[in-house]
């Protein structure tokens, strides 16, 4: 698969850890990961945003592994935050998880299905 990060010079530069666009060619598999929520496999929801965010990324990772993929295969990530005040912590924890991986990305501030959930993350991966 050929993968190219695109950041057009005549548009705003990305503001940390993502690409403005990701072009993929010659891929064999696409995986669409539904919104992963901050709920553990024993149905517990952590209280702090930081703990919820780390759990969400563990859940994304679990889905990718079940599909035979890793975070290196991510091409698009959408994060839904319940409050814009979580933006900095979200960026820091996302960067912890993604490292040098720079998928296309969107962050949306919105109400989330369950009031206890402070974020939800959906993703697209390709190989």
């Amino acid at each position: 698969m050929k993968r190219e990060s695109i950041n057009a010079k005549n548009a705003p530069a990305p503001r940390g850890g993502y690409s403005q666009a990701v072009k993929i060619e010659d891929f064999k598999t696409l995986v669409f990961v539904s919104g992963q929520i901050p709920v553990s496999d024993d149905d517990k929801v952590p209280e702090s945003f930081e703990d919820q965010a780390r759990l969400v990324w563990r859940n994304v990772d679990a889905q990718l592994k079940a599909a035979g993929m890793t975070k290196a295969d991510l091409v698009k990530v959408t994060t839904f935050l319940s409050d814009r005040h979580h933006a900095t912590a979200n960026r820091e924890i996302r960067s912890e998880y993604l490292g040098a991986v720079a998928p296309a990305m969107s962050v949306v501030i919105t109400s989330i299905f369950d009031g206890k959930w402070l974020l939800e993350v959906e993703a697209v991966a390709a190989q």
Side-chain angles (χ1 to χ4, degrees), residues 26-102:
D26 304 322
F27 62 90
K28 294 181 181 176
T29 305
L30 280 177
V31 171
F32 296 86
V33 179
S34 293
Q36 296 300 293
I37 57 176
V39 178
S40 63
D41 56 358
D42 61 353
D43 208 34
K44 295 198 178 3
V45 177
E47 288 189 34
S48 75
F49 178 84
E50 292 78 5
D51 289 342
Q52 286 196 21
R54 286 185 180 94
L55 178 56
V56 162
W57 284 109
R58 279 194 300 272
N59 291 341
V60 168
D61 202 49
Q63 300 306 328
L64 291 171
K65 285 181 182 176
M69 294 187 168
T70 71
K71 65 184 176 183
D73 298 311
L74 289 171
V75 294
K76 175 68 170 104
V77 171
T78 303
T79 302
F80 301 93
L81 295 178
S82 66
D83 190 312
R84 71 183 65 256
H85 294 100
H86 299 306
T88 299
N90 177 63
R91 186 177 314 117
E92 290 170 358
I93 293 164
R94 181 185 66 226
S95 293
E96 278 176 23
Y97 173 74
L98 290 176
V101 178

